[in-house]
Amino acid sequence: MDEGTGTDAAGAASPLGALADLAGSWLARSAATPERHTGAVAADRFDRVAWRDTYEQAPALRELAAELGERHPHTEDLLTDAFLAAYKAAPRLREPTGMAPSRLVNHRIVTALLESPDFAELHRETVGDPYAAAMAVLAQGTALRRMLDDSRPARDRDERAALAGRDAEDAADAVAEALRQAADGADEEGGVPGPAADAVRRAVEDAEDAARRAASDAAHSLAVAVPGVRAAASGAVAKSAAAAREEAALMRAWGVGSGELERMPFDERARLAERLRAGRLAEWAELIGRFRQMAAGERARKVENATGELIGVTLGDDLSRVIPSELANLGLPELRAVFAARYAAGELMLYDSQGEQATGRGAVIACVDTSHSMYEAGPGGITREAWAKACALALLDHARHAGRDFVGIVFSAADKLRVFRFPADAPTDLTRTLDFAETFLGGGTSYQRPLSAAGELLEAEFNDAARTRGDIVMLTDDDCGVTEAWMRDWNVAKRRLGFRVFGVGIGAPRVAAAGSVLAALCDNLRCVEDFTDVHAAADLFRVI
């Protein structure tokens, strides 16, 4: 017998055990092949749920998947990877050797996206936010289509590697089948007829050849480069980062917090973003944001229970103005005597402030002129209307922070007026805020109509809640007359209700000049000519 083959020239039986060892060792190596993944970005089930929920809520994502899928396979897997790369806090790419060959193109594209210079900036806006991550994918749609087109030659190579891999799997199955048939034909002593034994050996040889071809094709597939993918990915990420940054800035400018956005259904958030992008004041979102930041800063400069603006620290014995570090001494028994001594000597450190006292308690009412002349632009291309509306929206924030009602009155000619009420005890309705900001009536200018409406609102507030000391802010670029009878009634109402009137002449110095009608109506009047300067109205937010 030939000891190397387990059979003799006459075709004597071969031991089954030897054949089993031969086939089994090869099958064990074949079975050790790592799992092939279809997703380039490692994800847990929570990530997959986030993607699936977002995909079901976003028709645009499904449309993109269908469009790409008409020309390329496995595009939904690619969109999933692009989403997860933007959504996950620390996206981790799988090793290329662990990918199914048919998904290697997806792996190359997502790798290029993650390595783009602007990806970190994009990721700051999209991490943990399914909506923002989906918007990033949609913004990359054109570039993904181009990268998939450019990847066709590489995909052909990947498909050949996939086919070779399937051939290797079929060959492994043939080894197992040949061994089973050999076992079925073995005699009682475990001998396998020569033809059956030869079939097992041939199956093993064929399987090893198939495995070598599969490994070679896989190595060539991994080495394939796709020209242009990195440049296209870089452009796609830069575009989506800019879009995400713009939308985030819009939301912040309009006071939409991240918590509110997270609770908002996908389609509602998409409609809101579209309205903000296409709205009348979309171009001036940055101005609105600066106004709101300025107003918040002016509020922070106020000292609770103190008069006016914080300018530093002084010494004294006014316990209502003691700084926190002095009060901390009262919490330490060994320092209480020191506090008492400093109090007796009038040497406690106190907040020092100056300026007017914020006396308003009633409603804050912004009367915004929307006559035709408010179209006119000033420095920076900012229109008079944009400056006035941005100031009014900051006053809305200011009133809500103080727990006061806010009313926006949009006016022009005597027969054109709209009133938008924002009660302090009700959540701010963003849709109504946008309606207020985007309303433009056109026509001429009448002071009597909006101021009469404001006086009536303060009268009703006094009758209903016994609140007085409201504040009216008149934002206009035009001068017009009022009748003597109206002026007498106005002054009577003003004394009885204790409200103040602040005037802002926008781009028109004559409106705020001494002797003008607006000067006669207002307790506090200024003119704004540089529309890039939000601090021209800063003191309003300290005294209202």
Side-chain angles (χ1 to χ4, degrees):
M1 175 180 289
D2 185 346
E3 293 181 356
T5 62
T7 185
D8 55 23
S14 298
L16 179 60
L19 292 174
D21 289 342
L22 174 64
S25 62
W26 191 89
L27 288 172
R29 293 198 306 273
S30 177
T33 301
E35 179 187 0
R36 299 297 184 177
H37 297 283
T38 58
V41 179
D44 57 31
R45 66 185 183 89
F46 298 106
D47 298 327
R48 288 189 289 271
V49 167
W51 160 250
R52 181 51 54 187
D53 287 348
T54 305
Y55 187 75
E56 290 175 355
Q57 294 179 56
L61 278 179
R62 299 195 297 275
E63 291 169 5
L64 178 60
E67 179 192 347
L68 297 178
E70 290 178 356
R71 300 181 59 181
H72 304 282
H74 317 305
T75 52
E76 188 175 335
D77 288 337
L78 174 60
L79 297 186
T80 303
D81 284 330
F83 171 86
L84 293 174
Y87 173 73
K88 287 176 64 67
R92 179 178 64 83
L93 280 176
R94 301 187 191 279
E95 290 298 323
T97 52
M99 294 293 297
S102 60
R103 306 306 198 281
L104 281 173
V105 162
N106 293 356
H107 190 282
R108 295 183 187 100
I109 291 174
V110 176
T111 299
L113 292 174
L114 285 169
E115 293 176 351
S116 298
D118 294 301
F119 181 78
E121 181 182 356
L122 170 66
H123 197 238
R124 281 194 295 271
E125 300 293 350
T126 60
V127 60
D129 187 340
Y131 170 87
M135 292 299 105
V137 174
L138 292 172
Q140 295 163 6
T142 301
L144 291 176
R145 187 182 307 108
R146 184 167 65 253
M147 287 187 280
L148 287 170
D149 288 340
D150 292 343
S151 299
R152 282 185 182 279
R155 188 179 294 283
D156 292 341
R157 169 69 75 173
D158 296 341
E159 291 296 345
R160 287 196 293 273
L163 182 59
R166 289 193 291 272
D167 289 343
E169 293 172 0
D170 292 342
D173 292 340
V175 170
E177 177 61 22
L179 182 60
R180 185 189 64 78
Q181 290 181 4
D184 290 344
D187 57 26
E188 293 180 356
E189 295 178 356
V192 177
D198 290 342
V200 172
R201 295 188 189 95
R202 284 195 302 273
V204 170
E205 291 172 358
D206 291 344
E208 288 178 340
D209 287 343
R212 281 193 294 271
R213 288 195 301 273
S216 175
D217 284 350
H220 283 94
S221 180
L222 290 171
V224 170
V226 182
V229 162
R230 289 188 180 277
S234 179
V237 171
K239 178 182 177 181
S240 55
R245 185 172 59 249
E246 177 188 357
E247 184 163 318
L250 271 175
M251 295 298 180
R252 287 192 295 270
W254 286 95
V256 186
S258 57
E260 185 178 355
L261 289 175
E262 289 174 4
R263 295 189 299 271
M264 197 176 293
F266 188 97
D267 55 347
E268 180 181 341
R269 184 169 170 182
R271 287 195 300 271
L272 171 61
E274 180 59 29
R275 180 173 182 183
L276 293 181
R277 282 192 294 268
R280 186 178 185 86
L281 297 185
E283 186 179 352
W284 316 119
E286 189 268 342
L287 175 69
I288 295 169
R290 285 196 294 122
F291 247 109
R292 283 182 151 142
Q293 290 174 1
M294 178 273 292
E298 294 304 319
R299 285 195 296 272
R301 294 175 66 182
K302 290 183 179 181
V303 182
E304 189 174 0
N305 298 323
T307 300
E309 172 190 349
L310 173 64
I311 60 172
V313 175
T314 186
L315 300 179
D317 59 2
D318 185 351
L319 295 179
S320 69
R321 295 191 290 130
V322 176
I323 68 174
S325 60
E326 286 279 27
L327 292 174
N329 292 334
L330 291 175
L332 301 173
E334 59 271 22
L335 294 180
R336 287 173 185 166
V338 176
F339 182 91
R342 289 169 62 82
Y343 174 63
E347 295 180 350
L348 292 175
M349 287 190 290
L350 312 175
Y351 284 122
D352 192 15
S353 61
Q354 68 178 12
E356 296 184 65
Q357 185 172 3
T359 60
R361 290 295 179 271
V364 177
I365 302 177
C367 298
V368 182
D369 186 354
T370 60
S371 59
H372 284 310
S373 58
M374 293 290 283
Y375 276 127
E376 188 172 332
I382 299 171
T383 65
R384 296 175 177 183
E385 177 202 6
W387 195 95
K389 295 281 184 63
C391 183
L393 291 170
L395 286 168
L396 167 58
D397 285 351
H398 192 70
R400 297 204 70 80
H401 185 271
R404 300 169 66 182
D405 290 352
F406 176 83
V407 181
I409 296 178
V410 179
F411 72 94
S412 58
D415 61 340
K416 295 183 178 181
L417 180 137
R418 286 194 63 185
V419 177
F420 299 86
R421 305 189 67 166
F422 299 87
D425 58 359
T428 302
D429 184 338
L430 182 57
T431 299
R432 189 158 183 78
T433 302
L434 290 169
D435 290 343
F436 165 54
E438 294 176 355
T439 296
F440 192 92
L441 301 176
T445 303
S446 167
Y447 285 175
Q448 288 188 192
R449 179 77 189 282
L451 289 176
S452 294
E456 291 167 4
L457 288 166
L458 294 176
E459 180 83 41
E461 184 180 39
F462 173 73
N463 294 334
D464 294 341
R467 280 199 300 269
T468 58
R469 295 154 53 196
D471 291 305
I472 300 172
V473 181
M474 189 75 167
L475 299 148
T476 183
D477 71 339
D478 202 0
D479 196 16
C480 69
V482 296
T483 66
E484 291 185 10
W486 182 89
M487 194 69 174
R488 285 194 298 271
D489 292 341
W490 174 257
N491 288 329
V492 170
K494 189 177 176 185
R495 285 192 296 272
R496 185 175 77 261
L497 300 174
F499 59 79
R500 299 175 297 178
V501 182
F502 298 83
V504 184
I506 303 175
R510 62 180 177 77
V511 173
S516 67
V517 174
L518 196 61
L521 289 169
C522 295
D523 305 292
N524 179 306
L525 180 62
R526 85 286 317 281
C527 179
V528 176
E529 295 186 79
D530 182 359
F531 300 159
T532 64
D533 182 15
V534 300
H535 292 280
D539 63 305
L540 288 178
F541 299 92
R542 294 196 296 271
V543 299
I544 288 179

